[in-house]
Amino acid sequence: MANNYRWQAPGNGKIFDKPLGESSYMNSRTITVLKYISSKSKVSQSEFEREIKTYLAVHTEYEKNDSTPAHFFRPLLFLGFLKISSSKVLELTIEGDKFLYFYEEKDYAKCKKYILNQLDNSKYPSIATKDVKLQLFPFRILFKLLLFEHENGLSREFIKEQLIYLKSYDDVVLYEKSKNLKKIAKDIEYDKFYTWVINSLVNIEVLQVKNAHYFIADDIYEHVKGLYKNLSFESLFFNDETLLCQLDTQTAHERYKRDARLIQEAKTRDNFTCQIDAKHQTFISKGVNYVEGHHVLPMFQQKNFSFNLDVLENIISLCPSCHREIHSADNKHEILKKLYKHNILFMRKNSISQEDLQKMYYCA
Ligand SMILES: [Zn+2]
Ligand SMILES: [Zn+2]
């Protein structure tokens, strides 16, 4: 029986089993699954299940086996390179799209960064793992502990037997005070999370192992530190899934300092008018028409870009109603089209398509 209160891994097998770019059985299976879905743009789960084994047999060294076809896409759902709609249609996320693009360009350093950033988004419960009764971000917890234990690393015993049983902030409170990992809950059982997920991260050199201790790989240490150093342990757990979007915003605030002067500058530049429609009247505040500053490429997307999103060109003035619409409307399509057009130069300069922008707003 699966223990619903412990970290789980989807599918059967690793996502990658060699450094990115090296050819190996799982690397080629994973990339080929992404290519297959990308070539169809959207594919129903049933069509995927009918076709994928034949497709793999033609395009890879696929060996016939009894795996359920769903096992071929679940790990990619877990990683956030795929998404599945309520009507069971699969498609690549914007990050999955970029990952595949850079993989084909052989820019593996960039690919690794996309993986890290998607691990950061992974959470329980997840559509990829069934019936998990947890509400937490597993990799944020792992990376934060690895940063704390930077000197000595995390022991294999800890990762196999303790980590996967962390289920609430209470479980790490003692650790936060004592810095003693031995005080965190312990249980012994063979576990998929260690075997497939952790070992996969070692294979692609996100983690490195020395004397049975795990460390963050040197080439990504600074990036990981940038992501987690200001996040509190408390913010790695949540109570209500419906608040996840707010949590994203909160995390972006903890991570990236914003320059308040830029918002003021943008409003002056826009002459305190709503940039969706200058005729949108609000009310007078501090002697001018009241408007709000908004980052067109949302700040929580910063980790995916090497250029700074907190710049004047990326800030736009909006009336409160348009601003709320962008953040809260069920259908943001039309207003985002206008926003894209308005910032077309900045978008083109950074190779962001209209569709990219739309996809970024699933949770903004
Ligand atoms: Zn905003
Ligand atoms: Zn407006």
Side-chain angles (χ1 to χ4, degrees):
M1 275 305 284
N3 179 340
N4 297 335
Y5 295 96
R6 97 185 163 203
W7 300 12
Q8 293 176 21
N12 63 343
K14 295 175 180 177
I15 304 183
F16 299 102
D17 58 351
K18 276 275 172 70
L20 300 175
E22 284 184 30
S23 76
S24 67
Y25 185 70
M26 290 312 290
N27 285 17
S28 109
R29 182 173 113 174
T30 297
I31 296 299
T32 308
V33 167
L34 283 173
K35 277 188 190 164
Y36 165 80
I37 297 174
S38 166
S39 74
K40 301 222 159 205
S41 161
K42 287 181 187 201
V43 58
S44 71
Q45 183 175 341
S46 53
E47 189 178 344
F48 179 94
E49 293 185 3
R50 272 198 314 275
E51 292 185 351
I52 194 61
K53 286 189 178 181
T54 318
Y55 191 89
L56 286 168
V58 174
H59 293 88
T60 68
E61 310 279 294
Y62 175 72
E63 294 156 22
K64 260 197 175 15
N65 63 45
D66 298 334
S67 295
T68 325
H71 282 155
F72 296 128
F73 71 76
R74 282 239 161 77
L76 286 160
L77 268 186
F78 187 59
L79 198 56
F81 282 167
L82 290 182
K83 58 182 174 185
I84 189 163
S85 69
S86 51
S87 52
K88 302 220 160 154
V89 174
L90 289 160
E91 69 179 303
L92 264 60
T93 56
I94 181 170
E95 293 83 2
D97 216 48
K98 301 263 185 248
F99 173 83
L100 185 58
Y101 172 81
F102 288 117
Y103 203 92
E104 291 183 319
E105 294 282 300
K106 300 186 168 48
D107 189 345
Y108 303 118
K110 237 181 204 148
C111 290
K112 206 155 135 180
K113 222 167 130 185
Y114 273 104
I115 291 179
L116 281 174
N117 294 344
Q118 289 308 87
L119 291 173
D120 179 59
N121 292 343
S122 296
K123 59 179 174 57
Y124 294 120
S126 155
I127 192 146
T129 51
K130 279 189 196 126
D131 309 321
V132 179
K133 293 190 172 59
L134 297 169
Q135 289 177 314
L136 53 84
F137 295 94
F139 299 101
R140 291 185 191 181
I141 296 170
L142 173 65
F143 284 124
K144 193 148 171 77
L145 288 171
L146 282 164
L147 282 173
F148 265 106
E149 300 294 325
H150 177 53
E151 293 290 306
N152 303 314
L154 293 177
S155 72
R156 178 170 290 140
E157 289 66 36
F158 173 77
I159 290 191
K160 272 177 100 161
E161 298 163 13
Q162 294 172 271
L163 179 69
I164 55 171
Y165 292 98
L166 292 183
K167 56 188 181 305
S168 69
Y169 176 53
D170 288 346
D171 293 336
V172 284
V173 167
L174 270 179
Y175 169 72
E176 249 192 314
K177 286 185 188 141
S178 67
K179 294 284 172 277
N180 183 352
L181 288 168
K182 294 208 167 71
K183 294 186 175 162
I184 293 183
K186 185 165 176 154
D187 213 330
I188 300 172
E189 214 171 329
Y190 167 81
D191 204 275
K192 280 182 172 190
F193 190 87
Y194 171 75
T195 313
W196 293 339
V197 179
I198 297 288
N199 283 326
S200 193
L201 295 181
V202 173
N203 291 148
I204 60 170
E205 298 170 337
V206 160
L207 302 180
Q208 59 189 48
V209 188
K210 278 180 269 178
N211 305 323
H213 280 69
Y214 290 71
F215 299 82
I216 299 166
D218 296 336
D219 62 324
I220 54 166
Y221 180 76
E222 285 304 320
H223 178 69
V224 172
K225 193 173 157 195
L227 287 178
Y228 300 104
K229 67 172 189 290
N230 294 325
L231 288 195
S232 62
F233 268 110
E234 211 170 350
S235 69
L236 313 182
F237 301 89
F238 54 93
N239 301 318
D240 183 354
E241 246 200 296
T242 59
L243 296 176
L244 274 175
C245 288
Q246 284 178 36
L247 266 176
D248 261 357
T249 314
Q250 190 193 318
T251 301
H253 272 281
E254 287 178 33
R255 273 181 187 159
Y256 310 109
K257 286 225 180 315
R258 290 143 206 246
D259 186 347
R261 286 167 311 178
L262 284 176
I263 299 269
Q264 234 10 74
E265 256 181 75
K267 291 179 185 173
T268 311
R269 177 200 62 201
D270 296 339
N271 206 15
F272 301 93
T273 54
C274 175
Q275 297 301 292
I276 293 292
D277 187 339
K279 289 198 279 293
H280 290 172
Q281 286 293 324
T282 61
F283 51 86
I284 300 300
S285 169
K286 295 173 187 148
V288 291
N289 187 48
Y290 177 83
V291 284
E292 296 170 351
H294 171 73
H295 288 81
V296 179
L297 298 180
M299 285 306 288
F300 73 77
Q301 287 281 345
Q302 179 67 73
K303 61 186 177 181
N304 284 329
F305 295 99
S306 46
F307 58 90
N308 189 1
L309 296 186
D310 195 29
V311 291
L312 200 53
E313 299 164 276
N314 190 38
I315 302 172
I316 186 175
S317 308
L318 297 171
C319 74
S321 170
C322 288
H323 197 191
R324 277 304 99 204
E325 185 177 342
I326 281 174
H327 284 286
S328 312
D330 288 341
N331 185 347
K332 301 174 184 177
H333 194 79
E334 285 309 310
I335 197 158
L336 284 175
K337 244 164 99 177
K338 289 180 193 162
L339 215 58
Y340 186 82
K341 243 187 177 159
H342 185 277
N343 282 48
I344 189 83
L345 290 179
F346 185 66
M347 297 294 157
R348 285 211 182 122
K349 188 171 105 187
N350 297 303
S351 317
I352 290 154
S353 71
Q354 158 101 243
E355 211 199 357
D356 289 343
L357 188 70
Q358 299 274 357
K359 283 186 175 180
M360 278 178 210
Y361 271 80
Y362 68 99
C363 196

